[in-house]
């Protein structure tokens, strides 16, 4: 079944890497494959307790990252299965299946959004991936047993998708979510504009800095243009002039601008939590705006700011906060049958 697998001692989990076809990713103008690698963590008892079904955490990785980096196939600043195994060994968490799709693409990240340029990533996660996992693994196929979480771009994807689909995911945890605030001033400095507009080829984009790449990823996700090759997108500036329509499209995809329309959905969630490091200043500031907004609406949630930056405490937060959060809020029992 898996194209690649890791087998480890009995009291640790097993990681499989499978391939999932995304119908909604077919024909994307970027030319990325609609067949996506997906890493799946199976808890220790999965191989021995053959009648047991498990809650599932869908975990979305960040910008420039990929599933293989998070699951130990490629050396990285984090190894998620190791973190989960340690938490289980310490008795801090229940057992889950954990699923991460590879959202790395031509633009270094999909923003988990629907776009003709990159394909319908939002729908892929919410529908096609969930359907595949429910059909191929012993899951509890119900919203009360599904959580959605992610780091940075993945945190953004979690609130973007989660606020629309309480019928699919019942609990959300956002680790340092990016992209929450509308970018009303575009890329900002003249140097940033020059760097962005200087990209003419894929080779130029590959050599560009992080924030230039992020601008292209955002444009591919939120301001696609099927008549504008070679990248099939509209940037927020053109010949140095801010493009108001593009800025408006980006703002419409920022959760702090759109969340008011989803308050009813958010109130249906079992639980919502988010956090950020105090040294991750802009993200922490936006989280404060989000917690204030949710409080005004009476949406139950938990927000924490901790001493850390964008990545240095993420493993610790997953171990001490995220996994116990899902242990508390995801159901381990099948839903009662309706009569």
């Amino acid at each position: 079944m898996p194209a690649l697998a890791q087998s480890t001692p009995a009291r640790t989990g097993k990681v499989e890497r499978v391939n999932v076809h995304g119908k909604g990713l077919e024909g994307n103008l970027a030319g990325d494959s609609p067949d996506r690698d997906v890493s799946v963590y199976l808890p220790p008892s999965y191989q021995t307790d053959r009648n047991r079904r498990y809650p599932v955490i869908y975990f979305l990785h960040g910008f420039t990252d990929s599933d293989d980096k998070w699951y130990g196939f490629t050396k990285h600043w984090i190894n998620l299965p190791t973190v989960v195994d340690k938490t289980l060994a310490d008795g801090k968490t229940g057992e889950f299946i954990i699923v991460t799709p590879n959202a790395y693409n031509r633009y270094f990240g999909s923003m988990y959004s629907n776009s003709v340029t990159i394909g319908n990533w939002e729908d892929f996660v919410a529908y096609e991936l969930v359907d595949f996992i429910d059909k191929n693994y012993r899951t509890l196929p119900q919203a009360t047993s599904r959580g959605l979480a992610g780091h940075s771009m993945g945190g953004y994807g979690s609130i973007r998708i989660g606020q629309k689909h309480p019928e699919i995911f019942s609990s959300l945890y956002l680790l340092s979510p990016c992209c929450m605030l509308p970018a009303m001033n575009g890329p900002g400095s003249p140097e940033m504009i020059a760097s962005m507009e200087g990209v003419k080829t894929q080779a130029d984009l590959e050599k560009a800095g992080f924030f230039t790449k992020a601008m292209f990823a955002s444009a591919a996700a939120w301001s696609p243009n099927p008549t504008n090759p070679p990248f099939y997108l509209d940037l927020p500036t053109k010949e140095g002039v801010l493009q108001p329509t593009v800025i408006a499209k980006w703002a419409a995809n920022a959760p702090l601008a759109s969340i008011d329309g989803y308050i009813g959905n958010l109130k249906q969630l079992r639980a919502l939590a988010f956090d950020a490091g105090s040294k991750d200043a802009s993200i922490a500031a936006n989280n404060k705006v989000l917690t204030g907004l949710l409080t005004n609406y009476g949406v139950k949630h938990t927000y924490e700011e901790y001493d850390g930056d964008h990545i240095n405490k993420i493993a610790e937060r997953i171990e001490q906060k995220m996994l116990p959060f899902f242990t508390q809020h995801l159901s381990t029992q099948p839903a009662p049958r309706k009569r």
Side-chain angles (χ1 to χ4, degrees):
M1 168 168 156
L4 185 61
Q6 293 177 343
S7 295
T8 48
R11 291 313 302 165
T12 59
K14 176 184 177 184
V15 176
E16 297 183 345
R17 203 168 186 220
V18 297
N19 198 264
V20 181
H21 181 78
K23 185 73 176 174
L25 302 179
E26 293 177 357
N28 67 82
L29 299 177
D32 289 307
S33 173
D35 298 307
R36 308 306 302 183
D37 289 324
V38 177
S39 287
V40 182
Y41 172 88
L42 301 173
S45 69
Y46 192 89
Q47 304 303 317
T48 55
D49 193 348
R50 298 287 182 175
N51 294 318
R52 184 174 172 184
R53 290 184 169 271
Y54 297 83
V56 184
I57 300 170
Y58 289 84
F59 188 91
L60 307 180
H61 67 72
F63 185 62
T64 73
D65 273 354
S66 51
D67 68 306
D68 59 301
K69 291 179 178 178
W70 274 77
Y71 282 73
F73 294 109
T74 299
K75 188 173 176 57
H76 198 40
W77 56 266
I78 193 167
N79 184 314
L80 183 58
T82 299
V83 174
V84 179
D85 287 340
K86 180 181 184 300
T87 313
L88 284 169
D90 292 344
K92 296 178 181 177
T93 183
E95 290 192 329
F96 306 98
I97 296 171
I98 305 178
V99 179
T100 299
N102 184 7
Y104 187 91
N105 62 6
R106 179 183 177 185
Y107 307 101
F108 317 100
S110 71
M111 300 298 178
Y112 303 101
S113 302
N114 286 351
S115 156
V116 296
T117 299
I118 59 169
N120 290 345
W121 267 95
E122 183 178 318
D123 292 348
F124 174 71
V125 172
Y127 300 121
E128 296 182 286
L129 182 59
V130 169
D131 183 61
F132 177 92
I133 296 298
D134 282 344
K135 286 179 177 176
N136 288 277
Y137 293 92
R138 297 195 313 274
T139 68
L140 289 161
Q142 57 202 23
T144 54
S145 300
R146 289 194 205 103
L148 183 60
H151 172 246
S152 194
M153 179 184 79
Y156 164 81
S158 296
I159 189 64
R160 177 190 179 94
I161 296 169
Q163 69 183 1
K164 298 177 183 179
H165 295 293
E167 81 286 2
I168 300 175
F169 307 102
S170 65
S171 301
L172 313 179
Y173 198 108
L174 324 177
L175 295 150
S176 307
C178 79
C179 316
M180 299 294 286
L181 194 66
M184 301 309 292
N185 297 318
S189 71
E191 293 78 14
M192 186 67 223
I193 292 172
S195 173
M196 184 178 65
E197 293 192 12
V199 172
K200 304 298 183 184
T201 66
Q202 186 67 29
D204 292 339
L205 186 58
E206 296 283 345
K207 292 183 289 186
F210 179 89
F211 289 104
T212 297
K213 289 175 177 174
M215 286 289 161
F216 272 79
S218 299
W222 306 327
S223 52
N225 184 343
T227 66
N228 191 22
F231 296 110
Y232 300 102
L233 51 83
D234 288 330
L235 293 169
T237 65
K238 187 174 183 179
E239 297 177 356
V241 178
L242 205 63
Q243 302 297 295
T245 302
V246 174
I247 295 298
K249 290 179 179 181
W250 286 30
N253 284 277
L256 287 176
S258 65
I259 203 167
D260 302 81
Y262 298 104
I263 297 302
N265 287 352
L266 292 172
K267 287 185 175 181
Q268 293 178 45
L269 295 173
R270 279 190 160 197
L272 168 62
F274 47 98
D275 60 25
S278 57
K279 295 180 179 66
D280 201 5
S282 62
I283 288 179
N286 290 341
N287 272 358
K288 288 176 182 175
V289 176
L290 177 60
T291 190
L293 191 154
L294 295 173
T295 298
N296 289 344
Y297 276 116
V299 176
K300 292 180 181 179
H301 68 283
T302 301
Y303 166 60
E304 288 188 68
E305 185 175 311
Y306 56 90
D307 181 21
D309 59 28
H310 195 59
I311 63 173
N312 72 329
K313 297 286 183 68
I314 297 301
E316 179 182 304
R317 298 299 295 182
I318 290 172
E319 175 188 343
Q320 297 182 4
K321 299 294 181 175
M322 189 193 87
L323 291 171
F325 167 86
F326 285 122
T327 299
Q328 179 182 355
H329 295 293
L330 294 187
S331 174
T332 58
Q333 301 299 318
R337 291 186 179 182
K338 295 180 181 179
R339 294 184 178 181

